[in-house]
Amino acid sequence: FPKGPLMDCISRFDARGVTPFWERSVLSLGILCRPLSCCVWDQAQKLHDGSHLDPCIEYAAVVGKGGMSLPWNSLVDSGLCILSTREPTEKGFVAYKNYPAGWHEERLANKGLMWAYWSCSVGRGVLVVNTHLSSQRKVRPDQLEELGDRLEVLREEFRVKAPSLLEVYVCGDFNLDPERDEFFETWYQHLGLTLLTSGAVTNASLSVALDHVFAWRSDGRSVRAVSCPPIKPWKDGPCDRSRDAISDHCWQGIVFENVNLTSEPVNQ
């Protein structure tokens, strides 16, 4: 396993060159090496330890560490984590039930949605949901429906705990572009979500915007935010077409203005 998780190795090959026999062999090897997942491939734990990061990245909590989304029957976890400057009040992970059929590489992982909730002041709170949908077109609508159903459950649960104001942020790699996938726009509008990202290309090799950030407020007010251009900070440059050892996607940043969650308005 030259680069770590088997899914990462598989993703470097042309899908047309990966035979069913090769995929079965990789899956069998993955099952045999399952005990290594928690100690070798737990990237969220490594983020928590901070041994591989520039000290200028200031955060205090990593949601997703310690195999939080790693079940007994998967080789790698969800690939999700949430970094924050405060420990969340509550957190959780829900795996998707819909997956590609057959011997597909995504069966090595445990895709789903990860969430964290912060109680900010009396009657106010923030809920952050992070996800990564399937690369398979037939599966994405079903996973998107699962995400929407769970999001509605979480909103109702935390509106009780934050009756004055609940802010919800949904983000991740959706493998969907609102300009190309009409049902995606219908989905987030139905949930009352506001798309904050600009639609700039985040996967340059495909020339599409697949990574998005959405917002929702219980008081119906809009969230003021500035969408930063997608970048590859590890290359000190803008989003380009190259695929490297870290990702073929770019970072999509959002700066929120005057998020009023304490007794006094502040910039966060």
Side-chain angles (χ1 to χ4, degrees):
F1 313 127
K3 293 293 184 180
L6 291 177
M7 279 189 65
D8 185 59
C9 297
I10 294 172
S11 67
R12 295 171 189 282
F13 292 91
D14 186 335
R16 293 168 295 183
V18 179
T19 65
F21 173 78
W22 193 85
E23 279 197 330
R24 291 187 180 94
S25 300
V26 169
L27 182 57
S28 299
L29 283 171
I31 294 172
L32 292 174
C33 297
R34 172 63 175 76
L36 297 176
S37 295
C38 288
C39 60
V40 177
W41 296 331
D42 190 350
Q43 295 299 323
Q45 183 66 50
K46 292 178 181 178
L47 286 172
H48 179 262
D49 297 338
S51 57
H52 305 293
L53 290 180
D54 190 304
C56 70
I57 302 178
E58 298 177 357
Y59 59 88
V62 179
V63 179
K65 65 183 177 66
M68 177 179 175
S69 60
L70 181 65
W72 68 270
N73 60 345
S74 292
L75 174 61
V76 292
D77 62 13
S78 64
L80 302 173
C81 71
I82 301 173
L83 308 182
S84 67
T85 55
R86 286 177 48 190
E87 284 284 350
T89 310
E90 299 181 48
K91 58 188 177 182
F93 173 79
V94 179
Y96 289 133
K97 297 178 180 178
N98 291 282
Y99 264 79
W103 291 78
H104 191 272
E105 62 184 16
E106 288 185 4
R107 288 189 171 273
L108 296 172
N110 189 40
K111 287 194 171 184
L113 62 101
M114 184 172 291
W115 60 268
Y117 172 76
W118 288 264
S119 178
C120 300
S121 62
V122 178
R124 300 180 180 223
V126 173
L127 173 66
V128 174
V129 179
N130 189 15
T131 191
H132 184 188
L133 298 186
S134 174
S135 61
Q136 299 299 295
R137 181 173 293 273
K138 292 182 179 180
V139 180
R140 286 196 293 267
D142 294 330
Q143 290 185 347
L144 199 62
E145 184 178 356
E146 288 188 70
L147 173 60
D149 292 343
R150 178 58 58 173
L151 178 59
E152 288 187 317
V153 171
L154 290 170
R155 283 197 304 198
E156 289 304 312
E157 176 184 347
F158 289 110
R159 282 186 74 174
V160 175
K161 300 179 181 180
S164 298
L165 176 61
L166 174 65
E167 291 202 9
V168 180
Y169 299 95
V170 184
C171 55
D173 176 5
F174 291 83
N175 274 313
L176 292 167
D177 189 333
E179 297 295 325
R180 181 190 63 182
D181 304 288
E182 294 183 0
F183 69 90
F184 186 37
E185 184 175 12
T186 302
W187 173 82
Y188 71 75
Q189 288 180 348
H190 173 73
L191 290 169
L193 300 175
T194 300
L195 178 62
L196 299 180
T197 41
S198 64
V201 171
T202 60
N203 186 316
S205 61
L206 299 177
S207 298
V208 289
L210 303 179
D211 307 87
H212 311 285
V213 179
F214 299 91
W216 178 88
R217 286 174 58 112
S218 60
D219 62 0
R221 294 175 57 188
S222 61
V223 175
R224 291 192 296 170
V226 177
S227 178
C228 304
I231 60 171
K232 285 191 173 181
W234 55 93
K235 286 191 169 186
D236 296 322
C239 190
D240 57 36
R241 299 184 67 86
S242 63
R243 186 187 190 105
D244 52 53
I246 295 181
S247 178
D248 59 336
H249 288 241
C250 301
W251 284 18
Q252 177 63 78
I254 293 287
V255 178
F256 301 101
E257 299 179 347
N258 295 324
V259 180
N260 188 11
L261 291 170
T262 62
S263 58
E264 297 295 333
V266 293
N267 287 320
Q268 297 184 341

